[in-house]
């Protein structure tokens, strides 16, 4: 049974001058992991978040009386760090049926096609295999080790110059193949194909074991039955860290051997080490010590590209176990059945940035009607991650050049300031798994630093 939870408010620290060993900025999965590991190792830890809740870019909510995940959702047993947590806390799995859809709708040259899902899937699987075959070994040589993406940096550099669009243009696919592959690519980067880097695609493909079916199982089929919020809560309950919510960190500065962290309410803490576990796209908003971050500057200034939409749509029609796919500029790239209900179907929909206002039900209905003519939308819900000041984006996908040129500098610790966060993980970067990986790594490095 789960241990009784202390209410979050009781974890607020005294606001006196007392120093911490480690202050962790950001209570998403990276920060929660680092705080748990370090506090369990006997260190005095303060975990601070700008929001009034845990979990960052994961957010368990409800819609139509059903649990939904507004942010990070699906996990898989082949994601080692998150699976470890699922087992540790005895959590269960629930399945999203549309990830193994039976019927499909797709657009070819703007015209609707509908039928069994096997045919479009076969086309996508073959196209992805060719798309990633940069070395006549299916990408296995260039991206030999998915959890050490720069292992063959020498071979990766030329491919890291390309955007996803550049690579697509090289391929000379027929119209249907191109129009089926594009939606998958635009969901991977959650951006325009011109902005998403191709090297990240090779990493993605290697993580997916060079198989589209297996990859889709990892990306969209299994979620934590109790919800991401419950995992976050169990991790907090398992840690001795103090917690301060609703307190955006404004600045980190250095005073001799210690660091001073100040929130926008003026709360001031001293600490021997800091873990920065905020999203890459918001790091520019925090004032850091003079001279810090020279090797991180271009990454922090440009950020990652993931800024698209995700929403849940309740429709009157019972469409069964369905998937829809459409290339940009269509506002919905991928949509699939999340739940077949007595009163219709709950769909989950993803789209590129700035093409769909998820607060506008009519706009969502118009976009869906291209894939499901006459569909009636009864309700829509979602979260606008790209404009949220504490995420300014969705999942991480790098621009051309960022993987080989930016990642090592971004990850590196400087003095007593350590980096964590899914946006700079080595393996499943852009996933909950990568967030936990980065928290484990940061905690290991902080312990070594504080032991001197
Ligand atoms: C819509 C969407 C769908 C996704 N789908 C999946 C999926 O299906 N599977 C999957 O594995 N991953 C998915 N992801 C990605 C995954 O959710 C993230 O990669 C992961 O949760 C990031 O964890 P993190 O700890 O690195 O960062 P975050 O979760 O973003 O945590 C960072 C924390 O820092 C805080 N913060 C920011 N600024 C400050 C400040 N100034 N002071 C204090 N705190 C601050 C934020 O409030 C936040 O809580 C999805 C993400 C989104 C948005």
């Amino acid at each position: 049974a789960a241990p009784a939870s202390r209410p979050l408010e009781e974890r607020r620290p005294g606001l006196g001058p007392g120093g911490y060993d480690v202050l962790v900025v950001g209570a998403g999965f990276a920060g929660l992991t680092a705080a748990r590991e370090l506090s369990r190792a006997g260190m005095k830890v303060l975990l601070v978040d700008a929001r009034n809740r845990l979990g960052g870019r994961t957010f368990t909510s409800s819609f139509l009386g059903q649990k939904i995940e507004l942010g990070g959702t699906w996990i898989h047993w082949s994601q080692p760090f998150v699976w470890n947590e699922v087992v540790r806390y005895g959590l269960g799995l629930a399945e999203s049926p549309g990830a193994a859809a039976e019927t499909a709708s797709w657009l070819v040259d703007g015209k609707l096609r509908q039928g069994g899902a096997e045919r479009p899937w076969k086309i996508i699987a073959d196209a992805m295999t060719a798309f990633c075959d940069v070395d006549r070994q299916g990408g296995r040589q260039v991206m030999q080790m998915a959890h050490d993406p720069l292992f063959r940096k020498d071979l990766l550099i030329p491919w890291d110059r390309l955007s996803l669009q550049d690579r697509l243009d090289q391929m000379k696919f027929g119209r249907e193949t191109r129009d089926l592959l594009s939606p998958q690519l635009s969901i991977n980067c959650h951006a325009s194909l011109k902005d998403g880097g191709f090297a990240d695609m090779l990493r993605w493909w290697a993580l997916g074991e060079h198989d589209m079916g297996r990859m889709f199982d990892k990306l969209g089929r299994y979620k934590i039955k109790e919800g991401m919020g419950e995992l976050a809560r169990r991790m907090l309950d398992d840690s001795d860290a103090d917690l301060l919510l609703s307190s955006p960190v404004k600045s980190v500065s250095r005073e001799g051997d210690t660091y001073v962290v100040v929130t926008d309410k003026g709360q001031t803490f001293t600490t021997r080490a800091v873990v920065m576990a905020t999203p890459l796209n918001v790091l520019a908003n925090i004032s850091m010590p003079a001279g810090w971050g020279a090797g991180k500057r271009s990454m922090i200034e440009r950020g990652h590209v993931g800024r698209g939409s995700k929403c849940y749509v309740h429709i009157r029609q019972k469409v069964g176990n369905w998937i829809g796919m459409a290339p940009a500029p269509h506002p919905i790239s991928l949509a699939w059945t999340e739940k077949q209900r007595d009163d219709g179907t709950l769909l989950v929909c993803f789209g590129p940035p700035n093409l769909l206002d998820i607060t506008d039900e009519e706009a969502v209905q118009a976009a869906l009607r291209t894939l499901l003519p006459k569909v009636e939308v009864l309700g829509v819900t979602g979260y606008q991650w790209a404009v949220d000041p504490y995420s300014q984006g969705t999942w991480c996908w790098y621009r051309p050049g960022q993987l080989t040129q930016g990642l090592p500098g971004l990850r590196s610790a400087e003095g007593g300031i350590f980096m964590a966060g899914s946006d700079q993980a080595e393996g499943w970067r852009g996933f909950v798994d990568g967030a936990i990986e980065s928290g484990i790594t940061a905690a290991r490095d902080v312990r070594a630093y504080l032991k001197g």
Side-chain angles (χ1 to χ4, degrees):
S5 289
R6 268 198 283 160
L8 290 182
E9 314 76 59
E10 282 181 20
R11 290 178 166 265
R12 293 175 69 94
L15 299 182
Y20 284 93
D21 292 318
V22 191
L23 191 146
V24 179
V25 187
F29 279 103
L32 279 165
T33 306
R36 180 189 64 191
E37 299 299 305
L38 289 163
S39 67
R40 287 179 63 140
M43 291 175 192
K44 198 171 171 214
V45 178
L46 173 62
L47 177 60
V48 181
D49 203 284
R51 302 179 196 276
N52 63 1
R53 59 172 184 82
L54 306 172
R57 276 172 283 172
T58 65
F59 191 178
T60 307
S61 180
S62 71
F63 183 51
L64 313 171
Q66 168 180 341
K67 194 180 291 154
I68 54 162
E69 301 285 355
L70 297 172
T73 306
W74 294 283
I75 60 150
H76 195 263
W77 47 88
S78 63
Q79 297 171 336
F81 293 92
V82 70
W83 190 248
N84 179 36
E85 303 297 338
V86 167
V87 174
R88 184 197 299 229
Y89 297 117
L91 301 173
L93 289 184
E95 188 171 351
S96 293
E102 285 152 18
T103 58
S105 308
W106 65 105
L107 294 187
V108 181
D109 208 3
K111 292 185 194 71
L112 179 62
R113 302 219 178 150
Q114 288 175 296
E118 312 81 49
R119 183 164 173 276
W121 265 118
K122 171 95 174 72
I123 294 173
I124 294 169
D126 291 348
M128 195 67 89
T129 304
F131 190 76
C132 295
D133 188 11
V134 290
D135 48 17
R136 294 178 187 269
Q137 295 182 38
R140 287 171 180 80
Q141 192 186 21
V142 173
M143 189 57 66
Q144 189 176 330
M145 293 203 215
H147 281 251
D148 184 3
L150 302 183
F151 184 70
R152 291 307 308 267
K153 186 175 173 184
D154 56 327
L155 299 179
L156 189 60
I157 285 172
W159 300 107
D160 198 20
R161 295 193 187 106
L162 301 185
S163 68
L164 291 167
Q165 186 66 52
D166 294 334
R167 178 62 177 166
L168 195 59
D169 293 343
Q170 282 181 352
M171 295 307 294
K172 313 275 180 260
F173 288 132
R175 188 68 198 229
E176 183 174 28
T177 303
R178 196 180 165 97
D179 283 356
L180 277 168
L181 186 62
S182 299
Q184 183 64 57
L185 299 176
S186 71
I187 284 315
N188 289 357
C189 65
H190 224 194
S192 154
L193 301 190
K194 291 194 179 72
D195 294 331
F198 174 57
D200 248 358
M201 191 65 219
L202 296 174
R203 180 189 61 104
W204 183 97
W205 189 233
L207 288 166
E209 298 168 71
H210 313 93
D211 181 290
M212 200 50 213
R214 258 185 248 161
M215 188 49 160
F216 214 73
D217 274 2
K218 295 172 200 244
L219 296 177
R221 188 155 182 178
Y222 302 103
K223 52 195 177 177
I224 295 176
K225 192 164 82 194
E226 296 82 354
M228 285 290 182
E230 183 60 22
L231 174 57
R233 189 62 209 221
R234 301 250 183 131
M235 291 172 76
L236 182 76
D237 285 344
D238 208 10
S239 116
D240 292 321
D242 288 344
L243 174 70
L244 184 64
L245 294 175
S246 306
S247 302
V249 166
K250 194 173 69 175
S251 68
V252 177
S253 57
R254 185 165 191 158
E255 278 182 16
D257 286 344
T258 59
Y259 291 88
V260 178
V261 177
V262 181
T263 69
D264 72 350
K265 293 176 191 148
Q267 297 143 300
T268 302
F269 301 95
T270 55
T271 179
R272 294 164 67 205
V274 179
V275 175
M276 297 300 297
T278 59
L280 170 61
N281 286 2
V282 308
L283 271 172
N285 302 338
I286 301 174
S287 164
M288 299 300 287
W292 180 88
K296 302 174 174 43
R297 190 157 300 132
S298 74
M299 291 297 277
I300 292 174
E301 278 170 5
R302 302 203 67 210
H304 70 80
V305 300
R307 288 168 194 274
S309 65
K310 172 184 182 180
C311 62
Y312 291 87
V313 185
H314 181 205
I315 59 171
R316 191 183 299 282
Q317 285 71 15
K318 295 189 179 184
V319 295
N321 201 356
W322 171 87
I323 189 165
M325 302 167 256
H330 193 268
I332 294 177
S333 310
L334 281 189
W336 68 78
T337 300
E338 180 61 13
K339 183 93 183 165
Q340 301 186 44
R341 298 173 52 94
D342 292 340
D343 60 356
T345 312
L346 181 65
L347 304 177
V348 59
C349 306
F350 295 87
N354 307 320
L355 292 177
L356 185 65
D357 177 357
I358 63 171
T359 65
D360 180 346
E361 266 183 39
E362 280 182 24
V364 173
Q365 177 169 284
L368 266 179
R369 281 191 174 175
T370 319
L371 290 164
L372 292 170
K374 300 193 183 144
V375 77
E376 283 170 86
V377 168
L378 303 174
V380 182
T381 192
Y383 190 88
Q384 295 181 289
W385 298 100
V387 294
D388 180 307
Y390 305 119
S391 51
Q392 291 186 22
T394 56
W395 56 85
C396 173
W397 193 275
Y398 282 168
R399 300 168 191 277
Q402 287 187 321
L403 180 54
T404 53
Q405 290 164 38
L407 180 61
L410 181 64
R411 288 173 59 81
S412 64
E414 296 179 50
I417 303 179
F418 294 79
M419 302 296 289
S422 182
D423 304 350
Q424 44 104 67
E426 293 249 63
W428 287 90
R429 174 162 44 76
F431 294 82
V432 169
D433 190 77
I436 298 170
E437 174 216 295
S438 78
I440 297 278
T441 308
R444 180 195 69 201
D445 293 347
V446 169
R447 286 179 71 178
Y449 169 80
L450 289 181
K451 276 188 188 148

